[in-house]
Amino acid sequence: MRVGIGYDVHRLVEGRKLILGGVEIKHNKGLLGHSDADVLIHAIMDSILGALGLGDIGKHFPDTDLKYKGISSLLLLKEVYKLLEEKGYRINNIDCVIVAQRPKLADYIDKMKENIADVLNTSKENINIKATTTEKLGFEGREEGISAQAVCTLCNK
């Protein structure tokens, strides 16, 4: 069994869609980034890459490469899944938390889990996503950005 941890944060800005877990969330701001800036998927990718000992998403998908500009993070997750398969592992469990003061995310979590489980060829029950606020403390609480953390465990196939 292997364990990995991932973390990502992006700034909230006007004029961008808010994408979390591959789901478009209704909100007046979106996350700024080279790709779609999906902090949840980015944290999950980093946790998987970490568990595999393969570095981080910046190594695999640099923000200096124009082919990743505006790309769906679900497509990047598919590439990480290929690495997982090549190394002979499968997802045992992924546990995540999204930290955002607003918007409320409860209505979107089930679809996020479906998207992630589909790409990673695992059961939705192996994916857990929580959302929390910071009680208006810090950059998330001031609605300047959103962060996400993920932990995964991998098993041999």
Side-chain angles (χ1 to χ4, degrees), residues 95-126:
D95 187 32
C96 314
V97 61
I98 304 167
V99 184
Q101 193 63 41
R102 283 188 326 113
K104 297 298 182 194
L105 300 172
D107 292 342
Y108 301 98
I109 287 177
D110 199 54
K111 182 61 178 163
M112 292 178 198
K113 289 172 64 171
E114 285 176 19
N115 289 344
I116 294 161
D118 183 54
V119 170
L120 295 176
N121 195 30
T122 192
S123 168
K124 195 169 88 168
E125 286 71 36
N126 293 337

Side-chain angles (χ1 to χ4, degrees), residues 119-155:
V119 170
L120 295 176
N121 195 30
T122 192
S123 168
K124 195 169 88 168
E125 286 71 36
N126 293 337
I127 311 295
N128 189 56
I129 301 170
K130 305 171 295 283
T132 190
T133 70
T134 60
E135 302 297 326
K136 300 188 179 182
L137 297 172
F139 71 88
E140 297 105 333
R142 291 187 303 270
E143 299 180 39
E144 296 171 6
I146 294 176
S147 67
Q149 298 175 42
V151 174
C152 77
T153 57
L154 308 178
C155 295

Side-chain angles (χ1 to χ4, degrees), residues 19-70:
I19 309 292
L20 294 170
V23 177
E24 186 173 337
I25 311 292
K26 292 182 182 184
H27 194 52
N28 62 333
K29 293 182 178 179
L31 294 170
L32 181 62
H34 187 67
S35 65
D36 63 6
D38 186 332
V39 292
L40 177 60
I41 299 297
H42 292 185
I44 290 170
M45 289 191 297
D46 265 350
S47 72
I48 294 168
L49 290 168
L52 293 171
L54 296 177
D56 61 23
I57 62 174
K59 176 181 175 182
H60 294 269
F61 313 107
D63 63 7
T64 54
D65 192 330
L66 291 179
K67 72 181 173 185
Y68 303 123
K69 184 159 180 62

